[in-house]
Amino acid sequence: MARPKLTAPAECPVCGEEVPRGSLACPACGADHNSGWRPDADIHDGLDLPGNDDFDYDEFTRREFGSALKPAGIKTIWWITAIVLLALSIALYIFKS
């Protein structure tokens, strides 16, 4: 079954730049039939998603990953053991060479 030939619009609906005839994507923003030229490209416009203005990246990373140096869920003895083994491995590598 043959696929229909996709034609680019004369003007990019995403950024407004002129799109050369025969192009598969906008040279300015990269929009194409998969990302922005489809008839249903505005399907998510009415979802009422939160804007970027009320997103605090620092608060998000603090909440998701914590702010402690020691990883969560690892007992202190294993944390110290890992550091000592790493230090010994580095020392053996340096002094063996």
Short mmCIF file of all heavy atoms in Angstrom, two decimals, residues 35-93:
data_model
loop_
_atom_site.label_atom_id
_atom_site.label_comp_id
_atom_site.label_asym_id
_atom_site.label_seq_id
_atom_site.Cartn_x
_atom_site.Cartn_y
_atom_site.Cartn_z
N SER A 35 5.40 16.26 14.30
CA SER A 35 5.40 17.11 15.50
C SER A 35 4.45 18.29 15.45
O SER A 35 3.92 18.68 16.47
CB SER A 35 6.82 17.64 15.76
OG SER A 35 7.22 18.49 14.72
N GLY A 36 4.24 18.87 14.30
CA GLY A 36 3.43 20.08 14.34
C GLY A 36 2.59 20.39 13.12
O GLY A 36 1.78 21.29 13.17
N TRP A 37 2.73 19.64 12.05
CA TRP A 37 1.97 19.97 10.86
C TRP A 37 0.74 19.09 10.70
O TRP A 37 -0.04 19.26 9.79
CB TRP A 37 2.84 19.80 9.61
CG TRP A 37 3.93 20.79 9.51
CD1 TRP A 37 4.04 21.95 10.22
CD2 TRP A 37 5.06 20.73 8.68
NE1 TRP A 37 5.18 22.60 9.89
CE2 TRP A 37 5.84 21.88 8.93
CE3 TRP A 37 5.53 19.83 7.75
CZ2 TRP A 37 7.03 22.13 8.28
CZ3 TRP A 37 6.71 20.09 7.11
CH2 TRP A 37 7.45 21.24 7.37
N ARG A 38 0.56 18.13 11.57
CA ARG A 38 -0.60 17.25 11.46
C ARG A 38 -1.88 18.02 11.73
O ARG A 38 -1.88 18.99 12.50
CB ARG A 38 -0.51 16.11 12.48
CG ARG A 38 0.70 15.23 12.28
CD ARG A 38 0.76 14.22 13.37
NE ARG A 38 0.82 14.95 14.66
CZ ARG A 38 0.85 14.38 15.82
NH1 ARG A 38 0.79 13.09 15.93
NH2 ARG A 38 0.93 15.10 16.92
N PRO A 39 -2.98 17.59 11.19
CA PRO A 39 -4.26 18.26 11.48
C PRO A 39 -4.65 18.17 12.95
O PRO A 39 -5.30 19.04 13.48
CB PRO A 39 -5.27 17.50 10.61
CG PRO A 39 -4.47 16.79 9.58
CD PRO A 39 -3.11 16.56 10.16
N ASP A 40 -4.22 17.09 13.64
CA ASP A 40 -4.58 16.93 15.05
C ASP A 40 -3.43 17.34 15.98
O ASP A 40 -3.37 16.90 17.12
CB ASP A 40 -4.98 15.49 15.34
CG ASP A 40 -3.86 14.50 15.07
OD1 ASP A 40 -2.87 14.88 14.40
OD2 ASP A 40 -3.97 13.35 15.51
N ALA A 41 -2.53 18.20 15.52
CA ALA A 41 -1.38 18.60 16.34
C ALA A 41 -1.79 19.40 17.56
O ALA A 41 -1.06 19.45 18.55
CB ALA A 41 -0.39 19.41 15.51
N ASP A 42 -2.95 20.03 17.52
CA ASP A 42 -3.41 20.82 18.66
C ASP A 42 -4.33 20.02 19.58
O ASP A 42 -5.08 20.59 20.36
CB ASP A 42 -4.11 22.08 18.18
CG ASP A 42 -5.32 21.78 17.31
OD1 ASP A 42 -5.50 20.60 16.95
OD2 ASP A 42 -6.06 22.73 17.01
N ILE A 43 -4.23 18.70 19.54
CA ILE A 43 -5.11 17.85 20.33
C ILE A 43 -4.95 18.07 21.83
O ILE A 43 -5.88 17.88 22.60
CB ILE A 43 -4.89 16.37 19.95
CG1 ILE A 43 -6.03 15.51 20.47
CG2 ILE A 43 -3.58 15.85 20.49
CD1 ILE A 43 -6.04 14.11 19.88
N HIS A 44 -3.77 18.48 22.29
CA HIS A 44 -3.51 18.66 23.73
C HIS A 44 -3.69 20.10 24.18
O HIS A 44 -3.39 20.42 25.33
CB HIS A 44 -2.10 18.19 24.07
CG HIS A 44 -1.88 16.74 23.74
ND1 HIS A 44 -2.52 15.72 24.39
CD2 HIS A 44 -1.09 16.16 22.81
CE1 HIS A 44 -2.14 14.57 23.89
NE2 HIS A 44 -1.28 14.80 22.92
N ASP A 45 -4.20 20.96 23.33
CA ASP A 45 -4.34 22.38 23.69
C ASP A 45 -5.33 22.61 24.82
O ASP A 45 -5.17 23.52 25.61
CB ASP A 45 -4.75 23.21 22.47
CG ASP A 45 -3.58 23.46 21.54
OD1 ASP A 45 -2.45 23.15 21.95
OD2 ASP A 45 -3.81 23.94 20.43
N GLY A 46 -6.35 21.81 24.97
CA GLY A 46 -7.37 22.05 25.98
C GLY A 46 -7.18 21.27 27.27
O GLY A 46 -8.11 21.13 28.05
N LEU A 47 -5.99 20.75 27.53
CA LEU A 47 -5.78 19.92 28.71
C LEU A 47 -5.60 20.71 29.99
O LEU A 47 -5.61 20.13 31.07
CB LEU A 47 -4.56 19.01 28.50
CG LEU A 47 -4.75 17.89 27.51
CD1 LEU A 47 -3.49 17.05 27.41
CD2 LEU A 47 -5.91 17.00 27.90
N ASP A 48 -5.39 22.01 29.89
CA ASP A 48 -5.19 22.85 31.07
C ASP A 48 -4.00 22.38 31.90
O ASP A 48 -4.10 22.19 33.11
CB ASP A 48 -6.47 22.91 31.92
CG ASP A 48 -6.41 24.04 32.93
OD1 ASP A 48 -5.77 25.06 32.63
OD2 ASP A 48 -7.01 23.90 34.01
N LEU A 49 -2.89 22.13 31.22
CA LEU A 49 -1.67 21.74 31.91
C LEU A 49 -1.06 22.95 32.60
O LEU A 49 -1.19 24.07 32.11
CB LEU A 49 -0.67 21.15 30.91
CG LEU A 49 -1.12 19.87 30.22
CD1 LEU A 49 -0.14 19.49 29.13
CD2 LEU A 49 -1.27 18.75 31.22
N PRO A 50 -0.37 22.74 33.72
CA PRO A 50 0.23 23.88 34.41
C PRO A 50 1.33 24.51 33.56
O PRO A 50 2.05 23.82 32.85
CB PRO A 50 0.81 23.29 35.69
CG PRO A 50 0.98 21.84 35.40
CD PRO A 50 -0.10 21.49 34.41
N GLY A 51 1.46 25.81 33.64
CA GLY A 51 2.49 26.52 32.90
C GLY A 51 3.84 26.38 33.57
O GLY A 51 3.98 25.80 34.64
N ASN A 52 4.86 26.88 32.92
CA ASN A 52 6.21 26.82 33.47
C ASN A 52 6.45 27.87 34.55
O ASN A 52 7.45 27.81 35.25
CB ASN A 52 7.24 27.00 32.35
CG ASN A 52 7.23 25.82 31.41
OD1 ASN A 52 6.80 24.73 31.78
ND2 ASN A 52 7.70 26.02 30.20
N ASP A 53 5.55 28.84 34.69
CA ASP A 53 5.77 29.92 35.65
C ASP A 53 5.73 29.44 37.09
O ASP A 53 6.45 29.94 37.94
CB ASP A 53 4.72 31.02 35.46
CG ASP A 53 4.81 31.65 34.09
OD1 ASP A 53 5.90 31.58 33.48
OD2 ASP A 53 3.80 32.19 33.62
N ASP A 54 4.89 28.45 37.39
CA ASP A 54 4.76 28.01 38.77
C ASP A 54 5.56 26.75 39.07
O ASP A 54 5.32 26.08 40.06
CB ASP A 54 3.29 27.81 39.13
CG ASP A 54 2.58 26.87 38.17
OD1 ASP A 54 3.07 26.68 37.05
OD2 ASP A 54 1.54 26.33 38.56
N PHE A 55 6.54 26.39 38.25
CA PHE A 55 7.38 25.22 38.49
C PHE A 55 8.70 25.65 39.08
O PHE A 55 9.43 26.46 38.51
CB PHE A 55 7.62 24.46 37.17
CG PHE A 55 8.46 23.22 37.36
CD1 PHE A 55 7.93 22.11 37.96
CD2 PHE A 55 9.77 23.20 36.93
CE1 PHE A 55 8.69 20.98 38.14
CE2 PHE A 55 10.54 22.08 37.10
CZ PHE A 55 10.00 20.95 37.71
N ASP A 56 9.03 25.12 40.26
CA ASP A 56 10.28 25.43 40.94
C ASP A 56 11.20 24.21 40.84
O ASP A 56 11.00 23.21 41.54
CB ASP A 56 10.00 25.80 42.40
CG ASP A 56 11.26 26.22 43.15
OD1 ASP A 56 12.31 26.36 42.49
OD2 ASP A 56 11.17 26.39 44.37
N TYR A 57 12.20 24.29 39.97
CA TYR A 57 13.09 23.16 39.73
C TYR A 57 13.87 22.77 40.98
O TYR A 57 14.03 21.59 41.28
CB TYR A 57 14.05 23.48 38.58
CG TYR A 57 14.97 22.34 38.25
CD1 TYR A 57 14.51 21.24 37.53
CD2 TYR A 57 16.29 22.34 38.66
CE1 TYR A 57 15.34 20.18 37.24
CE2 TYR A 57 17.13 21.29 38.37
CZ TYR A 57 16.65 20.21 37.66
OH TYR A 57 17.48 19.16 37.37
N ASP A 58 14.37 23.75 41.73
CA ASP A 58 15.14 23.46 42.94
C ASP A 58 14.29 22.71 43.96
O ASP A 58 14.74 21.75 44.59
CB ASP A 58 15.70 24.74 43.54
CG ASP A 58 16.75 25.38 42.65
OD1 ASP A 58 17.43 24.63 41.92
OD2 ASP A 58 16.87 26.62 42.68
N GLU A 59 13.05 23.15 44.13
CA GLU A 59 12.16 22.48 45.08
C GLU A 59 11.85 21.06 44.60
O GLU A 59 11.80 20.12 45.40
CB GLU A 59 10.88 23.31 45.23
CG GLU A 59 9.96 22.86 46.35
CD GLU A 59 9.00 21.78 45.90
OE1 GLU A 59 8.59 21.80 44.73
OE2 GLU A 59 8.68 20.91 46.73
N PHE A 60 11.68 20.88 43.31
CA PHE A 60 11.40 19.56 42.75
C PHE A 60 12.55 18.60 43.00
O PHE A 60 12.34 17.47 43.46
CB PHE A 60 11.13 19.68 41.24
CG PHE A 60 11.06 18.36 40.54
CD1 PHE A 60 9.94 17.56 40.64
CD2 PHE A 60 12.13 17.92 39.78
CE1 PHE A 60 9.88 16.33 39.99
CE2 PHE A 60 12.08 16.70 39.13
CZ PHE A 60 10.95 15.91 39.24
N THR A 61 13.79 19.02 42.71
CA THR A 61 14.93 18.13 42.93
C THR A 61 15.13 17.83 44.41
O THR A 61 15.51 16.72 44.76
CB THR A 61 16.22 18.72 42.34
OG1 THR A 61 16.43 20.02 42.86
CG2 THR A 61 16.16 18.78 40.83
N ARG A 62 14.89 18.80 45.27
CA ARG A 62 15.01 18.58 46.71
C ARG A 62 13.98 17.55 47.18
O ARG A 62 14.28 16.65 47.94
CB ARG A 62 14.83 19.90 47.46
CG ARG A 62 15.39 19.91 48.83
CD ARG A 62 15.27 21.26 49.54
NE ARG A 62 15.68 22.47 48.86
CZ ARG A 62 14.93 23.29 48.09
NH1 ARG A 62 13.73 23.07 47.90
NH2 ARG A 62 15.39 24.36 47.53
N ARG A 63 12.77 17.65 46.67
CA ARG A 63 11.70 16.73 47.06
C ARG A 63 11.93 15.33 46.49
O ARG A 63 11.72 14.33 47.18
CB ARG A 63 10.36 17.29 46.57
CG ARG A 63 9.16 16.49 46.98
CD ARG A 63 7.86 17.18 46.62
NE ARG A 63 7.97 18.07 45.48
CZ ARG A 63 7.45 17.85 44.29
NH1 ARG A 63 6.76 16.77 44.07
NH2 ARG A 63 7.59 18.71 43.32
N GLU A 64 12.38 15.25 45.24
CA GLU A 64 12.56 13.95 44.60
C GLU A 64 13.82 13.22 45.03
O GLU A 64 13.81 12.01 45.21
CB GLU A 64 12.57 14.11 43.07
CG GLU A 64 11.24 14.47 42.48
CD GLU A 64 10.22 13.37 42.63
OE1 GLU A 64 10.57 12.18 42.42
OE2 GLU A 64 9.07 13.69 42.97
N PHE A 65 14.92 13.94 45.16
CA PHE A 65 16.20 13.30 45.40
C PHE A 65 16.76 13.54 46.79
O PHE A 65 17.77 12.96 47.16
CB PHE A 65 17.22 13.77 44.35
CG PHE A 65 16.75 13.53 42.95
CD1 PHE A 65 16.43 14.57 42.12
CD2 PHE A 65 16.61 12.24 42.47
CE1 PHE A 65 15.99 14.36 40.83
CE2 PHE A 65 16.16 12.00 41.19
CZ PHE A 65 15.86 13.07 40.36
N GLY A 66 16.16 14.43 47.55
CA GLY A 66 16.67 14.73 48.88
C GLY A 66 17.89 15.62 48.79
O GLY A 66 18.45 15.87 47.73
N SER A 67 18.31 16.09 49.92
CA SER A 67 19.47 16.99 49.93
C SER A 67 20.64 16.41 50.70
O SER A 67 21.65 17.07 50.87
CB SER A 67 19.06 18.34 50.54
OG SER A 67 18.61 18.14 51.87
N ALA A 68 20.52 15.17 51.18
CA ALA A 68 21.59 14.58 51.97
C ALA A 68 22.70 14.08 51.07
O ALA A 68 22.47 13.64 49.94
CB ALA A 68 21.04 13.43 52.81
N LEU A 69 23.93 14.12 51.58
CA LEU A 69 25.08 13.60 50.85
C LEU A 69 25.03 12.08 50.82
O LEU A 69 25.34 11.46 49.81
CB LEU A 69 26.38 14.09 51.51
CG LEU A 69 27.68 13.57 50.89
CD1 LEU A 69 27.79 14.08 49.46
CD2 LEU A 69 28.86 14.04 51.70
N LYS A 70 24.63 11.48 51.92
CA LYS A 70 24.53 10.02 52.01
C LYS A 70 23.24 9.56 51.34
O LYS A 70 22.17 10.07 51.63
CB LYS A 70 24.52 9.60 53.48
CG LYS A 70 24.55 8.11 53.69
CD LYS A 70 24.47 7.77 55.15
CE LYS A 70 23.01 7.72 55.48
NZ LYS A 70 22.62 6.96 56.60
N PRO A 71 23.33 8.59 50.42
CA PRO A 71 22.12 8.10 49.75
C PRO A 71 21.13 7.50 50.76
O PRO A 71 21.52 6.86 51.72
CB PRO A 71 22.63 7.02 48.80
CG PRO A 71 24.08 7.31 48.63
CD PRO A 71 24.53 7.97 49.89
N ALA A 72 19.87 7.69 50.52
CA ALA A 72 18.83 7.17 51.41
C ALA A 72 18.79 5.65 51.34
O ALA A 72 18.99 5.06 50.28
CB ALA A 72 17.48 7.75 51.02
N GLY A 73 18.57 5.01 52.48
CA GLY A 73 18.43 3.56 52.51
C GLY A 73 19.72 2.81 52.74
O GLY A 73 19.71 1.60 52.86
N ILE A 74 20.85 3.49 52.79
CA ILE A 74 22.13 2.82 53.03
C ILE A 74 22.58 3.15 54.45
O ILE A 74 22.68 4.32 54.83
CB ILE A 74 23.20 3.27 52.02
CG1 ILE A 74 22.78 2.90 50.61
CG2 ILE A 74 24.55 2.65 52.34
CD1 ILE A 74 23.74 3.36 49.54
N LYS A 75 22.85 2.09 55.22
CA LYS A 75 23.29 2.31 56.59
C LYS A 75 24.67 2.95 56.59
O LYS A 75 25.47 2.77 55.66
CB LYS A 75 23.32 0.99 57.35
CG LYS A 75 21.94 0.42 57.58
CD LYS A 75 21.99 -0.81 58.43
CE LYS A 75 20.58 -1.30 58.67
NZ LYS A 75 20.56 -2.44 59.57
N THR A 76 24.95 3.68 57.63
CA THR A 76 26.20 4.45 57.73
C THR A 76 27.42 3.55 57.63
O THR A 76 28.42 3.91 56.98
CB THR A 76 26.23 5.23 59.05
OG1 THR A 76 25.06 6.04 59.13
CG2 THR A 76 27.45 6.12 59.14
N ILE A 77 27.38 2.36 58.21
CA ILE A 77 28.54 1.47 58.18
C ILE A 77 28.90 1.08 56.75
O ILE A 77 30.08 1.00 56.39
CB ILE A 77 28.31 0.21 59.06
CG1 ILE A 77 29.59 -0.63 59.16
CG2 ILE A 77 27.18 -0.63 58.54
CD1 ILE A 77 30.69 0.03 59.92
N TRP A 78 27.91 0.86 55.90
CA TRP A 78 28.20 0.49 54.51
C TRP A 78 28.69 1.68 53.70
O TRP A 78 29.49 1.52 52.77
CB TRP A 78 26.97 -0.14 53.86
CG TRP A 78 26.60 -1.43 54.53
CD1 TRP A 78 25.47 -1.70 55.22
CD2 TRP A 78 27.41 -2.61 54.61
NE1 TRP A 78 25.51 -2.97 55.72
CE2 TRP A 78 26.70 -3.56 55.35
CE3 TRP A 78 28.66 -2.96 54.13
CZ2 TRP A 78 27.19 -4.83 55.62
CZ3 TRP A 78 29.16 -4.23 54.39
CH2 TRP A 78 28.43 -5.14 55.13
N TRP A 79 28.22 2.85 54.03
CA TRP A 79 28.67 4.08 53.38
C TRP A 79 30.15 4.29 53.68
O TRP A 79 30.95 4.56 52.80
CB TRP A 79 27.80 5.23 53.88
CG TRP A 79 28.09 6.58 53.31
CD1 TRP A 79 28.52 7.66 53.98
CD2 TRP A 79 27.97 7.00 51.96
NE1 TRP A 79 28.68 8.73 53.15
CE2 TRP A 79 28.35 8.35 51.89
CE3 TRP A 79 27.59 6.36 50.79
CZ2 TRP A 79 28.35 9.07 50.71
CZ3 TRP A 79 27.60 7.09 49.62
CH2 TRP A 79 27.97 8.43 49.59
N ILE A 80 30.53 4.13 54.95
CA ILE A 80 31.94 4.28 55.37
C ILE A 80 32.79 3.18 54.74
O ILE A 80 33.91 3.44 54.26
CB ILE A 80 32.05 4.28 56.91
CG1 ILE A 80 31.37 5.53 57.47
CG2 ILE A 80 33.51 4.19 57.35
CD1 ILE A 80 31.22 5.53 58.97
N THR A 81 32.29 1.95 54.71
CA THR A 81 33.02 0.84 54.11
C THR A 81 33.30 1.10 52.63
O THR A 81 34.41 0.85 52.15
CB THR A 81 32.21 -0.47 54.26
OG1 THR A 81 31.96 -0.70 55.64
CG2 THR A 81 32.96 -1.65 53.67
N ALA A 82 32.34 1.62 51.91
CA ALA A 82 32.53 1.92 50.49
C ALA A 82 33.59 2.99 50.29
O ALA A 82 34.44 2.88 49.39
CB ALA A 82 31.20 2.37 49.87
N ILE A 83 33.59 4.02 51.13
CA ILE A 83 34.59 5.09 51.00
C ILE A 83 35.99 4.56 51.31
O ILE A 83 36.96 4.87 50.61
CB ILE A 83 34.23 6.28 51.92
CG1 ILE A 83 32.95 6.94 51.40
CG2 ILE A 83 35.37 7.27 52.01
CD1 ILE A 83 32.40 8.02 52.31
N VAL A 84 36.11 3.73 52.36
CA VAL A 84 37.42 3.16 52.71
C VAL A 84 37.93 2.25 51.60
O VAL A 84 39.11 2.33 51.22
CB VAL A 84 37.32 2.40 54.06
CG1 VAL A 84 38.56 1.56 54.32
CG2 VAL A 84 37.08 3.38 55.20
N LEU A 85 37.07 1.40 51.05
CA LEU A 85 37.49 0.52 49.96
C LEU A 85 37.90 1.31 48.72
O LEU A 85 38.88 0.95 48.04
CB LEU A 85 36.37 -0.46 49.61
CG LEU A 85 36.16 -1.60 50.60
CD1 LEU A 85 34.94 -2.41 50.22
CD2 LEU A 85 37.40 -2.48 50.67
N LEU A 86 37.19 2.36 48.42
CA LEU A 86 37.56 3.21 47.29
C LEU A 86 38.92 3.86 47.52
O LEU A 86 39.77 3.89 46.63
CB LEU A 86 36.48 4.27 47.05
CG LEU A 86 36.72 5.21 45.88
CD1 LEU A 86 36.72 4.43 44.58
CD2 LEU A 86 35.68 6.30 45.86
N ALA A 87 39.13 4.36 48.73
CA ALA A 87 40.41 5.00 49.05
C ALA A 87 41.55 3.98 48.98
O ALA A 87 42.64 4.29 48.45
CB ALA A 87 40.34 5.64 50.43
N LEU A 88 41.33 2.77 49.49
CA LEU A 88 42.37 1.73 49.41
C LEU A 88 42.66 1.33 47.97
O LEU A 88 43.82 1.13 47.60
CB LEU A 88 41.94 0.51 50.22
CG LEU A 88 42.04 0.64 51.73
CD1 LEU A 88 41.44 -0.58 52.40
CD2 LEU A 88 43.48 0.83 52.16
N SER A 89 41.63 1.22 47.16
CA SER A 89 41.83 0.87 45.75
C SER A 89 42.64 1.93 45.02
O SER A 89 43.55 1.62 44.25
CB SER A 89 40.48 0.70 45.05
OG SER A 89 39.76 -0.35 45.63
N ILE A 90 42.34 3.18 45.28
CA ILE A 90 43.08 4.29 44.66
C ILE A 90 44.53 4.28 45.14
O ILE A 90 45.47 4.45 44.35
CB ILE A 90 42.40 5.63 44.93
CG1 ILE A 90 41.07 5.69 44.18
CG2 ILE A 90 43.29 6.79 44.53
CD1 ILE A 90 40.21 6.89 44.51
N ALA A 91 44.74 4.07 46.44
CA ALA A 91 46.10 4.05 46.99
C ALA A 91 46.89 2.90 46.41
O ALA A 91 48.07 3.06 46.04
CB ALA A 91 46.03 3.94 48.51
N LEU A 92 46.30 1.70 46.29
CA LEU A 92 47.01 0.57 45.70
C LEU A 92 47.34 0.83 44.24
O LEU A 92 48.43 0.44 43.78
CB LEU A 92 46.17 -0.71 45.84
CG LEU A 92 46.14 -1.33 47.24
CD1 LEU A 92 45.16 -2.49 47.29
CD2 LEU A 92 47.52 -1.78 47.66
N TYR A 93 46.46 1.44 43.52
CA TYR A 93 46.70 1.74 42.12
C TYR A 93 47.85 2.74 41.96
O TYR A 93 48.72 2.59 41.11
CB TYR A 93 45.43 2.30 41.47
CG TYR A 93 45.62 2.66 40.02
CD1 TYR A 93 45.66 1.67 39.05
CD2 TYR A 93 45.77 3.99 39.64
CE1 TYR A 93 45.84 1.99 37.72
CE2 TYR A 93 45.95 4.32 38.31
CZ TYR A 93 45.99 3.32 37.36
OH TYR A 93 46.18 3.65 36.05
#
